[in-house]
Amino acid sequence: MGWDYALVHLYYNIPPAVLLTIAYYPLCTKIDIYKIIFLILEIAVVSTTPWDSYLIHRRIWTYPPNAIVGPTVFKIPAEEIFFFVIQTYNTSILYLFASKPTLHPIYLSGESLRHRGRNLRTWRCFGILLLVALILVGAGLVRRGAEGLYLGLIIVWAGPFILLLWSLSYQLLLSLPKSNTLLPILLPTFYLWAVDTIALRRGTWVIESGTKLGVHLWPGLDLEEAFFFIVTNTLIVFGLVAFDNALAILEAFPGIFSTVPPLPSPLLLVKALLVSTSRYDEDRILGLEEAFRRLWRKSRSFYLASGFFQGRLRLDLILLYSFCRVSDDLVDEASSGVEARHWISKLTEFLDICYATKTDESKRRRDFVAQTFPAKAHSALLLLPTERLSSSPLYDLVKGFETDLAFSSEAPFQIKDEQTLQIYGSRVAGTVAELCLELAFYHSQERTTEQQRRKIIQSGGWMGIALQYVNISRDIAVDAKNGRVYFPTGWLDSADLRPEDVLQDPSGSHFEALRQRLLDKAMGIYSEAKSAIELLPTGSRAPMRVAVESYVEIGRVLQEGRYELKAGRATVPKARRLRVAWTALRKGSHELHNINRDTMMSRKPANKTAVVVGAGVGGVATAARLANAGFDVTVFEKNNFTGGRCSLIHHEGYRFDQGPSLLLLPGLFKETFKDLGTSLEDEGVQLMKCEPNYNIWFNDGESFELSTDVARMKLEVEKWEGKDGFERYLGFLQEAHRHYEISVSQVLKKNFTSLLSMTRPAFLRHLFPLHPFESIYSRASKYFWTERLRRVFTFGSMYMGMSPFDAPGTYSLLQYTELAEGIWYPKGGFHAVVEALVTIGERLGVKYRLSTSVSSVDLDPTGRNATGVTLENGEGISADVVIINADLVYAYNHLLPSSSYSRSLQRRSASCSSISFYWAMDRQIPELTTHNIFLAEHYRESFDDIFKQQLIPSEPSFYLNVPSRVDPTAAPKGKDSIVVLVPVGHLLDENQGIGRKGLDIQSKQDWDSMVTNARRTVFKTVEARTGARDLQGALVKEIVNTPQSWKDVFNLDKGAILGLSHSFFNVLCFRPKTKHGSIERLHFVGASAHPGTGVPIVLAGAKLTSEQVLEGFGMEKPWGRGSFKGKGASRAMDRIQPDCTFALLEGARGGSTSFPYRDAIDIVDATECQMAEHTSKRGCFGVGAVHTLYTTGSKAMHWTRPGHQRLWGGIDDAKQAQTVSRSGTPCVNGGVHHLWAAKAASDSPPSLWIGLQRRSLRLSNDVEASFSLWTHTTPFDTRPIDELWCYPIFALTHRIRLPAVTVSSVAILIVTLAAAFLLPSNIPSPLPRPSINPFITTTESPRNRVTHHVQRCY
């Protein structure tokens, strides 16, 4: 088993796929996905699998056992199948990119088979003959065998497929722009040639020497491999062109195919390809080409947008534009007013003929156009899809031309006021928008009522007016040249101007105020109408958004005053147009205000209302934030108290926290209050530090005290882990610190709205350092060698409702925040924080209605927009936005219409529940501190009982809190209040109990008996481990919460107290979103929504949700992000300054103890270091300018152990390996790089040292280089070389003579050390370690062992 081939994918194939996916995602349509899946199945799987399997059976291709993981299909490694899939995917995305603007039907040719002067029939025959000849050559090579066998097999396999595709789709292959076909073939081919060269040199896969010609394209790349990649990419592109050829035929000829399904079946595609060219409508093809060229010349914005429409809708929209443009040109370019009126009259007559009911209308139409209009207008008029358009908007459009004509009459300035301007805009642009929407609805299969359709089309008419106003603002100078002024004369009069002034000096600064006034009108109409775009059919929504936003952007640049003039018109720079289109596709028009914040935002628009369902922490925080942003907020809560689970229980002077009882991540609390313009202190919230953090009690009578006090922790850790245990503890803290900082910045403060959100470079580069695929227990085991401390530093996963054996390693951040920031408790109970947020909200106008249940969320008739809520008493509450803070799974299944997604949420893994005891004691229990953890003897088994059997363990781990210890107000004087939380499984329904778990619910989830057993176990355990006596006798009052009561009181699905689980596929983009996927104006906040559970995490989620709501309304956030500033930054000695140090290995993968090269190599100022040569006690060797890591002799002996020889480079004799290890790395005079390198006996890399590259090191003349190279035959072979297999194991020692510290030598150093970053973070090869006591592990990973003995430089 090996990972070489998998790593080729990880390093070279997957990153391009991710980048291409990110780039293409906004452009992607269903038909694109269909194409890719079709090509993958046909080419990567069906056509390739038999051929590839044959090659492997015949051993033409071979894979070393240490290069592949293992699973195969017909002897084809899984990695190989994945290669064909990802190659097809990447090439397909490149093709889709290149062909997105292309209108494929215009490249079809009719019976003449001529395109732009080329005889396609001749080229077709030539291609067929060439391919047949090539196939015959390939067959000859196969028959002969020997060296040409592999090349022949490639030709014989791919040739027939390419021949078939050429025969069917030669028209497009010959006619399409070469950028559409050659680019997607050549780019991935060149890239794969480079990747294949690396893989062949590594020996990842091998071509048997007897089957290849021995010719190389360049050193390391066989001719056969180069030919293979260009052939496969050609095959993929030919397949895509054939697919587009079939689609073009289906879409272009409604006379042949009356209807076309959104996703045509393969049979229909083949049927289209087989249609005889004699049946093609050549006039329609030419007309489409003319219309497309006209669009390209006349309107950049709509040309850009047209590429995002699909199918026949795109064709109809282009034809509609062509008609409008031709009609406008006929009037505008008329030599006189009489001629212009003639054309208006003829256009009206043309429409009369089109909408006549006579049977010979089509012939009359053709005859009339041919006899009346110039030839350039024929196709635009004849192809206008009047059968799919209403007549009224077209007649109104022609009337709009009459307004333009009036400028040449005796009363030239017809636009007197805003109303007249609006009528004009409605006729010349509003009508066009209405016609476009009619076509969008006609071609959609989605159902809408006639009333809804009318409203949307009416909004489209208003949007057309807004765009016309932008057009007028842009074309002031151009219109003036034609004698036209579209500013209302009333506006000119109020500015003491005349229309003649505009004609004389259209670019004068005195008209700028009028331009801005008109643009303000346009932007106002746009803001009101743009929401209708989101109600359009799905296939039209994003493209229409692009069309609108591309044109509105002209208005934005005019408002800014930053634009380019072309032919007297303001234009948007191309890069900005593309950015606008990208944003429109990716985010939606409601988020486009980010492009130009100054011109598009209004901080607090009037009359925006919000309803919050649930007054939990997330609800009250979101309510306060929205109120602060200007919303009128009402919060509805089913209980008579706020806070949800974060509430209080009172009993005769005793106070208990019903839910959370310790405050972590205090920074997130402070940030919330700061964003609201206040602070915890100003709101009277007093935080008290709990010291120690916990007392952890074990079954053997021992205890461990967790503390933020470093001195106390040093003693505690070294007590169980030895002297070097504290260093490993610090290493654990460092990793946890990294988890904490990355999680806060990249997860808690970022929204993950889709899978692509996880591909953000800022997040992706941190994904593996977060260790999401390893459990927190496995990560802790790398630092702590005793079972006792592994338990101490992993029990915190219970706060996430997960087992430490399942919780991702990322959650060590909880231990970090406890140990670095401390545990705090708000005086008066945790609810004091909630009360403060409620008070702030009420101060900002939030209204709370307690004891008021919501029965459902109201939706508009389309079901796409939330409009308010209905209360249980039947009262309806309308709102602009609804935020749900109720349990998310409950809300989806009870407050919203049932859906497959809501049902799937119920099947997701949930967190645990709890039996919680609230005890009023008649005396203090001095043996207990504020926070106490009692861990089960059978640690893993106890968690399995909870999370796998959904039961209470026979010996549970539990948490015991004594709030009166830190806050005396929690209990009467001299008495204690105690809260005990016993984690148990959540509730099971019948389906889960029988089908999934196989449990007898009635007998196994008996909560009454479980409570009794839990109480008895808690008393017994506490007394046995702490020495406390007669706890039950001191109990005067008990209140209990069980999973059933959690469910009944708080509507928690399954009674899971922490919501949905936090496994990897239940977090980030996989977790339910903060915004509903298909319903606008509906948002979520709380434990089961992103980012997750826990009070501070939910507070972070409240900020994300609030910001998302504000973005949806185009409102700016009334809070800032803030930035770190040093306290004494104004003083010279406190100012953070850059250093000349290059930290080449700082933050190396795996942290301080998972990789030997922990610390940086510092290249410091040579003038200060000439006397710096020394050998430190830590084994750090430095000469002149370089300090590097170095492992001294005997400390390295544990690198090798019997039975693990292959891991260390093909060492055959373990004893010999230990001897070599103890020898250390000798110094070589004059060596720039002196490294320890292991080389396998064979020419291939050691099987488990994956990820290391073969490096060519060409050393400069002024540098002497020596490498200490160890092989299994010559233990120490010291010699100058220029190329070697480089496997850094322990250390690199560098001895540089100062004059030789040149750019070249530093560059070589960086290249060499870069290999270190390719080391895998976890090599699965455990080494035995003798056991010390029952809490000490018996196994340990080799890298931990090595790191333990490596001495580091500081």
Side-chain angles (χ1 to χ4, degrees):
M1 174 178 176
W3 296 89
D4 280 13
Y5 200 169
L7 285 176
V8 170
H9 292 316
L10 182 64
Y11 293 150
Y12 303 112
N13 293 330
I14 294 176
V18 171
L19 293 176
L20 287 170
T21 303
I22 294 171
Y24 193 73
Y25 178 76
L27 314 178
C28 191
T29 62
K30 290 181 179 179
I31 196 70
D32 292 336
I33 297 172
Y34 183 40
K35 287 180 191 177
I36 294 171
I37 294 174
F38 186 83
L39 263 291
I40 287 174
L41 291 176
E42 289 296 316
I43 293 178
V45 179
V46 175
S47 64
T48 305
T49 300
W51 176 76
D52 202 4
S53 179
Y54 176 80
L55 292 181
I56 295 172
H57 275 84
R58 292 289 302 272
R59 298 192 62 78
I60 296 169
W61 267 355
T62 59
Y63 303 91
N66 60 356
I68 58 175
V69 175
T72 61
V73 178
F74 302 112
K75 289 195 174 181
I76 305 173
E79 297 94 329
E80 178 77 359
I81 295 173
F82 180 78
F83 168 78
F84 284 112
V85 170
I86 202 164
Q87 180 194 7
T88 305
Y89 177 82
N90 288 345
T91 303
S92 298
I93 294 293
L94 281 172
Y95 172 84
L96 292 172
F97 256 124
S99 62
K100 178 57 72 172
T102 305
L103 187 66
H104 291 94
I106 68 175
Y107 295 98
L108 296 173
S109 299
E111 191 172 12
S112 64
L113 285 178
R114 301 189 67 84
H115 184 81
R116 298 184 183 179
R118 287 193 298 177
N119 189 321
L120 301 184
R121 184 179 284 106
T122 301
W123 282 96
R124 178 197 181 194
C125 294
F126 175 76
I128 291 174
L129 291 174
L130 181 64
L131 288 169
V132 169
L134 188 63
I135 294 170
L136 292 175
V137 170
L141 290 172
V142 172
R143 184 174 183 180
R144 190 184 70 175
E147 286 80 5
L149 178 60
Y150 181 30
L151 181 61
L153 286 170
I154 295 174
I155 297 172
V156 170
W157 162 66
F161 288 106
I162 295 177
L163 176 61
L164 175 65
L165 294 171
W166 172 267
S167 302
L168 293 174
S169 57
Y170 64 94
Q171 289 193 31
L172 258 63
L173 286 169
L174 290 169
S175 305
L176 283 174
K178 294 300 177 281
S179 59
N180 284 32
T181 52
L182 290 182
L183 191 68
I185 291 174
L186 296 179
L187 275 182
T189 296
F190 289 142
Y191 181 78
L192 289 171
W193 282 353
V195 174
D196 193 56
T197 303
I198 295 171
L200 286 172
R201 287 181 175 179
R202 285 181 173 181
T204 303
W205 54 77
V206 179
I207 306 171
E208 291 301 317
S209 57
T211 64
K212 59 184 180 179
L213 297 173
V215 180
H216 294 81
L217 189 65
W218 59 59
L221 181 63
D222 293 291
L223 174 65
E224 290 85 352
E225 284 291 275
F227 184 70
F228 169 78
F229 286 118
I230 198 165
V231 164
T232 50
N233 283 317
T234 300
L235 184 59
I236 294 166
V237 171
F238 274 35
L240 289 164
V241 172
F243 199 112
D244 282 336
N245 198 345
L247 285 179
I249 296 168
L250 291 172
E251 294 164 359
F253 308 125
I256 301 176
F257 299 97
S258 57
T259 59
V260 179
L263 300 177
S265 67
L267 184 62
L268 183 59
L269 293 171
V270 172
K271 184 178 179 181
L273 289 172
L274 296 177
V275 170
S276 171
T277 55
S278 61
R279 299 181 63 190
Y280 289 5
D281 186 343
E282 291 201 58
D283 290 337
R284 182 171 175 82
I285 295 173
L286 292 173
L288 285 170
E289 184 174 4
E290 288 180 10
F292 190 67
R293 306 296 178 199
R294 189 173 289 122
L295 174 65
W296 179 74
R297 290 194 306 268
K298 296 290 187 178
S299 177
R300 288 189 180 93
S301 298
F302 292 138
Y303 171 76
L304 175 66
S306 73
F308 303 111
F309 288 97
Q310 299 294 312
R312 288 182 176 173
L313 172 59
R314 183 185 186 189
L315 300 183
D316 281 350
L317 289 172
I318 292 173
L319 293 173
L320 174 61
Y321 176 87
S322 181
F323 169 79
C324 295
R325 174 51 61 191
V326 165
S327 301
D328 189 47
D329 288 346
L330 286 172
V331 176
D332 283 352
E333 296 173 3
S335 58
S336 65
V338 174
E339 182 185 352
R341 289 188 180 88
H342 167 76
W343 290 126
I344 291 174
S345 172
K346 292 303 178 182
L347 286 170
T348 304
E349 189 176 349
F350 167 76
L351 293 177
D352 291 340
I353 294 173
C354 289
Y355 288 97
T357 57
K358 297 179 181 179
T359 56
D360 61 344
E361 172 268 326
S362 178
K363 183 178 184 304
R364 286 185 60 206
R365 179 174 175 174
R366 286 196 303 273
D367 293 342
F368 179 76
V369 169
Q371 297 168 9
T372 308
F373 294 94
K376 67 178 183 179
H378 287 181
S379 63
L381 296 170
L382 290 174
L383 295 179
L384 178 67
T386 52
E387 66 276 11
R388 295 185 282 279
L389 298 170
S390 301
S391 59
S392 177
L394 288 170
Y395 281 109
D396 284 344
L397 175 65
V398 174
K399 289 180 182 177
F401 297 150
E402 295 176 356
T403 304
D404 289 333
L405 190 61
F407 284 104
S408 60
S409 64
E410 296 179 358
F413 304 110
Q414 297 290 314
I415 299 180
K416 304 296 183 183
D417 50 30
E418 288 184 27
Q419 184 176 1
T420 309
L421 178 64
Q422 181 178 312
I423 293 172
Y424 169 72
S426 174
R427 285 178 175 174
V428 300
T431 53
V432 177
E434 292 176 12
L435 292 168
C436 290
L437 295 184
E438 285 186 4
L439 289 174
F441 282 114
Y442 177 86
H443 288 286
S444 171
Q445 295 184 334
E446 297 178 19
R447 295 181 179 179
T448 54
T449 65
E450 188 61 32
Q451 182 181 7
Q452 293 166 357
R453 188 174 299 188
R454 282 199 303 270
K455 287 182 178 180
I456 295 170
I457 291 176
Q458 183 179 14
S459 295
W462 281 104
M463 183 64 78
I465 295 172
L467 300 185
Q468 182 62 22
Y469 285 1
V470 170
N471 188 56
I472 292 170
S473 301
R474 180 192 64 176
D475 293 346
I476 294 174
V478 175
D479 291 333
K481 289 181 181 179
N482 295 325
R484 300 174 183 175
V485 177
Y486 290 98
F487 287 130
T489 54
W491 288 13
L492 294 169
D493 292 341
S494 63
D496 294 329
L497 296 170
R498 298 174 305 148
E500 291 78 9
D501 296 330
V502 181
L503 297 178
Q504 294 172 5
D505 184 17
S507 59
S509 58
H510 43 284
F511 298 118
E512 190 61 32
L514 295 176
R515 187 207 299 267
Q516 295 300 325
R517 181 176 178 182
L518 186 57
L519 287 171
D520 288 342
K521 287 283 183 185
M523 293 302 179
I525 297 172
Y526 156 79
S527 297
E528 290 296 324
K530 69 175 182 178
S531 60
I533 296 176
E534 305 310 315
L535 302 177
L536 289 173
T538 305
S540 305
R541 199 176 303 158
M544 201 67 75
R545 205 185 293 137
V546 173
V548 170
E549 293 299 333
S550 298
Y551 214 84
V552 168
E553 194 66 13
I554 298 172
R556 297 191 185 107
V557 299
L558 288 170
Q559 286 185 318
E560 298 168 3
R562 301 194 299 267
Y563 51 85
E564 302 172 2
L565 282 176
K566 291 185 179 179
R569 291 176 170 173
T571 61
V572 180
K574 186 175 182 179
R576 183 163 175 172
R577 286 201 309 271
L578 293 174
R579 180 163 61 93
V580 169
W582 172 274
T583 309
L585 289 167
R586 184 168 60 92
K587 295 184 177 180
S589 61
H590 59 283
E591 293 184 45
L592 284 165
H593 62 280
N594 290 326
I595 294 176
N596 191 329
R597 183 181 293 265
D598 294 333
T599 60
M600 294 300 296
M601 277 193 168
S602 172
R603 179 173 178 179
K604 295 185 178 182
N607 302 322
K608 294 298 181 186
T609 57
V611 162
V612 179
V613 180
V617 174
V620 298
T622 304
R625 285 182 177 275
L626 292 181
N628 190 37
F631 276 81
D632 183 5
V633 185
T634 303
V635 180
F636 295 93
E637 168 57 49
K638 72 180 284 283
N639 294 311
N640 62 357
F641 53 84
T642 60
R645 283 155 281 176
C646 189
S647 52
L648 299 175
I649 298 174
H650 294 274
H651 172 74
E652 297 179 358
Y654 294 91
R655 186 190 69 239
F656 309 95
D657 293 284
Q658 185 157 208
S661 57
L662 44 82
L663 188 148
L664 303 178
L665 288 86
L668 292 177
F669 289 85
K670 294 175 182 177
E671 178 182 320
T672 297
F673 282 79
K674 180 182 177 181
D675 287 348
L676 295 172
T678 181
S679 67
L680 287 163
E681 294 78 8
D682 291 344
E683 298 302 323
V685 179
Q686 179 183 347
L687 298 184
M688 299 177 291
K689 192 170 185 297
C690 302
E691 185 60 43
N693 289 351
Y694 303 97
N695 264 1
I696 301 173
W697 304 88
F698 296 92
N699 68 293
D700 61 357
E702 298 289 351
S703 65
F704 190 100
E705 191 176 81
L706 275 173
S707 172
T708 55
D709 188 324
V710 177
R712 293 170 72 176
M713 285 301 295
K714 185 174 186 296
L715 292 173
E716 286 284 349
V717 171
E718 290 181 350
K719 176 181 177 182
W720 303 105
E721 294 270 324
K723 287 296 182 182
D724 58 352
F726 185 68
E727 183 179 3
R728 286 182 276 106
Y729 163 73
L730 294 178
F732 172 79
L733 276 188
Q734 184 184 37
E735 178 178 293
H737 167 77
R738 189 180 302 114
H739 291 168
Y740 171 83
E741 295 295 342
I742 295 173
S743 296
V744 170
S745 63
Q746 299 300 325
V747 178
L748 300 186
K749 295 189 177 181
K750 303 287 185 182
N751 224 330
F752 288 77
T753 56
S754 68
L755 184 61
L756 282 182
S757 303
M758 289 182 62
T759 61
R760 289 191 296 251
F763 172 77
L764 202 57
R765 68 189 181 93
H766 292 304
L767 180 60
F768 288 102
L770 284 173
H771 302 106
F773 306 111
E774 298 179 72
S775 71
I776 189 173
Y777 185 87
S778 70
R779 292 307 306 170
S781 298
K782 297 179 185 298
Y783 297 95
F784 302 108
W785 295 352
T786 63
E787 179 66 16
R788 189 184 303 277
L789 262 64
R790 290 176 180 178
R791 297 181 181 188
V792 165
F793 291 98
T794 60
F795 74 84
S797 65
M798 291 191 295
Y799 298 149
M800 313 299 292
M802 295 187 71
S803 163
F805 301 95
D806 298 323
T810 311
Y811 295 126
S812 64
L813 65 89
L814 295 172
Q815 281 72 31
Y816 171 79
T817 186
E818 291 175 349
L819 294 166
E821 298 176 328
I823 292 176
W824 302 80
Y825 184 78
K827 187 174 183 179
F830 211 118
H831 191 256
V833 176
V834 179
E835 286 179 347
L837 289 172
V838 170
T839 301
I840 295 169
E842 290 177 335
R843 202 159 58 225
L844 293 169
V846 178
K847 296 178 284 293
Y848 283 88
R849 293 179 61 175
L850 305 182
S851 301
T852 306
S853 295
V854 172
S855 63
S856 64
V857 174
D858 297 335
L859 307 178
D860 69 358
T862 69
R864 295 179 180 172
N865 291 274
T867 59
V869 296
T870 298
L871 306 183
E872 272 196 350
N873 60 13
E875 180 184 357
I877 307 294
S878 61
D880 293 303
V881 64
V882 176
I883 297 94
I884 295 181
N885 182 225
D887 181 77
L888 184 139
V889 181
Y890 170 86
Y892 264 97
N893 285 278
H894 293 84
L895 304 184
L896 295 169
S898 179
S899 65
S900 58
Y901 181 72
S902 65
R903 292 187 291 273
S904 72
L905 288 175
Q906 291 182 310
R907 296 191 296 270
R908 287 202 187 189
S909 57
S911 62
C912 66
S913 188
S914 77
I915 295 174
S916 296
F917 297 105
Y918 309 94
W919 290 336
M921 313 298 285
D922 64 3
R923 58 181 172 84
Q924 290 186 341
I925 313 299
E927 293 83 1
L928 298 173
T929 57
T930 306
H931 302 292
N932 304 268
I933 299 291
F934 294 83
L935 295 179
E937 177 181 4
H938 303 290
Y939 192 59
R940 180 190 288 268
E941 291 80 356
S942 67
F943 285 108
D944 288 345
D945 285 344
I946 296 171
F947 295 100
K948 294 182 179 180
Q949 300 299 322
Q950 307 303 332
L951 299 172
I952 181 173
S954 57
E955 183 202 358
S957 298
F958 59 89
Y959 162 70
L960 187 150
N961 169 232
V962 188
S964 52
R965 192 69 70 247
V966 66
D967 181 5
T969 64
K973 187 175 181 179
K975 301 180 181 181
D976 271 339
S977 53
I978 294 178
V979 179
V980 182
L981 187 151
V982 183
V984 297
H986 57 64
L987 297 172
L988 295 174
D989 57 33
E990 290 185 5
N991 291 332
Q992 287 178 303
I994 298 172
R996 188 165 69 94
K997 297 294 183 181
L999 298 178
D1000 181 348
I1001 299 172
Q1002 296 300 323
S1003 61
K1004 294 211 172 186
Q1005 283 203 326
D1006 182 350
W1007 296 112
D1008 290 337
S1009 62
M1010 285 188 186
V1011 168
T1012 301
N1013 291 335
R1015 183 189 302 110
R1016 181 172 58 249
T1017 301
V1018 170
F1019 282 139
K1020 179 181 177 181
T1021 302
V1022 173
E1023 290 175 354
R1025 298 187 186 183
T1026 67
R1029 292 292 177 263
D1030 195 20
L1031 292 180
Q1032 190 160 5
L1035 178 63
V1036 296
K1037 176 65 177 180
E1038 178 186 78
I1039 301 169
V1040 182
N1041 266 332
T1042 67
Q1044 190 62 52
S1045 61
W1046 289 119
K1047 178 180 179 180
D1048 295 341
V1049 177
F1050 300 105
N1051 288 335
L1052 302 182
D1053 183 63
K1054 303 185 187 73
I1057 57 174
L1058 298 168
L1060 293 175
S1061 171
H1062 284 73
S1063 58
F1064 179 77
F1065 290 103
N1066 246 346
V1067 295
L1068 303 174
C1069 68
F1070 306 109
R1071 199 166 187 81
K1073 312 297 186 291
T1074 53
K1075 180 178 179 296
H1076 197 283
S1078 59
I1079 300 176
E1080 295 294 320
R1081 311 301 191 204
L1082 179 59
H1083 298 259
F1084 300 90
V1085 63
S1088 290
H1090 177 76
T1093 193
V1095 176
I1097 312 301
V1098 169
L1099 287 177
K1103 185 172 185 176
L1104 294 176
T1105 300
S1106 301
E1107 290 177 348
Q1108 196 174 45
V1109 170
L1110 296 178
E1111 287 171 357
F1113 285 98
M1115 301 167 66
E1116 66 180 4
K1117 298 170 288 190
W1119 49 82
R1121 293 194 177 274
S1123 60
F1124 171 79
K1125 294 182 179 178
K1127 186 175 182 180
S1130 60
R1131 303 173 187 170
M1133 72 170 60
D1134 298 321
R1135 193 173 297 121
I1136 298 175
Q1137 302 179 27
D1139 192 5
C1140 62
T1141 299
F1142 294 88
L1144 297 183
L1145 287 179
E1146 189 166 8
R1149 216 163 68 159
S1152 64
T1153 60
S1154 63
F1155 192 74
Y1157 310 131
R1158 164 60 190 93
D1159 299 281
I1161 293 176
D1162 300 325
I1163 300 177
V1164 296
D1165 191 342
T1167 60
E1168 297 178 5
C1169 297
Q1170 290 184 9
M1171 303 303 294
E1173 180 173 351
H1174 68 280
T1175 301
S1176 70
K1177 293 181 180 179
R1178 292 176 178 243
C1180 184
F1181 185 79
V1183 179
V1186 177
H1187 290 271
T1188 182
L1189 307 182
Y1190 181 70
T1191 303
T1192 54
S1194 61
K1195 295 293 186 180
M1197 63 178 293
H1198 290 291
W1199 260 108
T1200 54
R1201 288 280 184 179
H1204 298 278
Q1205 294 90 347
R1206 286 189 57 79
L1207 181 60
W1208 317 122
I1211 299 171
D1212 295 321
D1213 185 87
K1215 184 176 181 180
Q1216 180 190 26
Q1218 291 184 2
T1219 303
V1220 173
S1221 297
R1222 286 194 290 271
S1223 300
T1225 50
C1227 299
V1228 177
N1229 293 331
V1232 175
H1233 297 277
H1234 184 78
L1235 62 91
W1236 182 275
K1239 188 175 188 296
S1242 64
D1243 290 333
S1244 60
S1247 59
L1248 291 180
W1249 278 106
I1250 55 177
L1252 295 177
Q1253 308 276 344
R1254 186 175 185 180
R1255 304 286 183 179
S1256 294
L1257 306 176
R1258 300 290 177 182
L1259 307 180
S1260 58
N1261 293 331
D1262 61 334
V1263 177
E1264 296 179 34
S1266 294
F1267 294 80
S1268 175
L1269 176 63
W1270 189 90
T1271 67
H1272 76 293
T1273 56
T1274 308
F1276 291 99
D1277 183 7
T1278 303
R1279 55 186 173 182
I1281 58 174
D1282 63 355
E1283 181 175 336
L1284 88 157
W1285 290 94
C1286 178
Y1287 301 96
I1289 297 180
F1290 310 122
L1292 298 155
T1293 56
H1294 307 268
R1295 184 165 184 166
I1296 300 180
R1297 292 181 294 191
L1298 290 176
V1301 183
T1302 62
V1303 174
S1304 61
S1305 62
V1306 172
I1308 294 169
L1309 173 65
I1310 294 174
V1311 170
T1312 305
L1313 296 182
F1317 291 96
L1318 300 179
L1319 274 172
S1321 61
N1322 185 24
I1323 299 175
S1325 180
L1327 294 178
R1329 178 179 176 83
S1331 182
I1332 299 174
N1333 64 44
F1335 288 103
I1336 292 183
T1337 183
T1338 58
T1339 61
E1340 178 197 347
S1341 75
R1343 291 174 61 180
N1344 288 342
R1345 175 69 64 208
V1346 171
T1347 306
H1348 172 52
H1349 292 294
V1350 170
Q1351 302 296 318
R1352 291 185 288 275
C1353 301
Y1354 294 92

